[in-house]
Amino acid sequence: MRFQFQIIFFLLISSLIQCGTKPDPQASELFSVPLSTTKGGELDLISEKGNVLVLDFWATWCDPCAKAVPVLNKIRSSESGKRLHFWGVNTDSPPNLEEILEKEQKWGMEYPSLLDSDWKIVNQFHIKGQPAMMVFDTKGKEIYRQYGITGSDLPGLLLRAKDWLNESK
């Protein structure tokens, strides 16, 4: 029994270690990137300074991205009213705004999206796949990155979200 516990403990710790990767040292450059929104406006990410920023990289053709949205919605709603701001970053190239808006609605995305069809942020931060989530502290420094987000990640991400907010006070 003790041996089984040790194996389970080892597997649990191993999986938690592999969930996130080391942040990119160029993270402070994030805030110099203005992008169009799916609603027709423009957002310069510098306006998010002072908040913990969560970016969800997604594409309309990405089936696993659809599974990430409910998880991110739950994290967002659990920390509503706090300095945790969510933005989707759509990477379709070329962008088809009608299809993007349709997927946002179909997937139940409760946070707005930016358009990165020329991959300004994707290339700057070396995004290697989708779905990808990046988290930035109030100064714009990358503090967390994860590829592939599923329902089983929710408990750990809810705990991390509290840490992100506490670390950024």
Side-chain angles (χ1 to χ4, degrees):
M1 180 75 166
R2 181 181 167 125
F3 181 70
Q4 290 174 329
F5 176 74
Q6 289 174 335
I7 289 175
I8 291 170
F9 182 75
F10 174 76
L11 292 174
L12 178 65
I13 296 299
S14 297
S15 68
L16 287 174
I17 290 171
Q18 300 216 0
C19 279
T21 59
K22 288 190 175 184
D24 189 311
Q26 298 177 356
S28 62
E29 295 177 28
L30 172 72
F31 294 104
S32 64
V33 181
L35 294 171
S36 296
T37 71
T38 56
K39 305 296 184 207
E42 185 172 276
L43 177 78
D44 188 339
L45 291 174
I46 199 163
S47 68
E48 289 293 336
K49 221 171 191 177
N51 298 306
V52 176
L53 178 63
V54 178
L55 296 179
D56 168 30
F57 290 83
W58 67 281
T60 57
W61 49 262
C62 173
D63 290 334
C65 295
K67 295 176 183 172
V69 171
V71 175
L72 295 171
N73 283 341
K74 286 180 183 172
I75 297 166
R76 182 177 172 270
S77 66
S78 76
E79 299 299 331
S80 66
K82 299 187 178 149
R83 296 178 344 260
L84 189 62
H85 289 199
F86 284 72
W87 282 91
V89 179
N90 179 274
T91 62
D92 287 4
S93 184
N96 178 334
L97 189 57
E98 185 177 319
E99 185 179 6
I100 292 168
L101 292 171
E102 181 182 304
K103 289 290 182 167
E104 284 180 338
Q105 184 176 15
K106 181 179 178 181
W107 294 350
M109 195 175 284
E110 297 173 356
Y111 44 92
S113 287
L114 303 167
L115 301 172
D116 191 25
S117 60
D118 56 359
W119 292 17
K120 289 178 189 175
I121 296 179
V122 168
N123 289 333
Q124 182 176 351
F125 292 102
H126 311 290
I127 299 297
K128 305 289 186 210
Q130 293 179 75
M133 176 180 64
M134 294 180 72
V135 181
F136 298 86
D137 68 12
T138 56
K139 295 177 183 146
K141 179 182 172 198
E142 182 183 344
I143 55 175
Y144 186 76
R145 179 185 297 218
Q146 180 173 331
Y147 293 95
I149 302 156
T150 63
S152 63
D153 296 320
L154 183 59
L157 289 172
L158 287 170
L159 291 172
R160 288 180 190 271
K162 290 187 184 321
D163 287 342
W164 300 330
L165 287 165
N166 288 333
E167 290 172 7
S168 295
K169 286 185 177 180

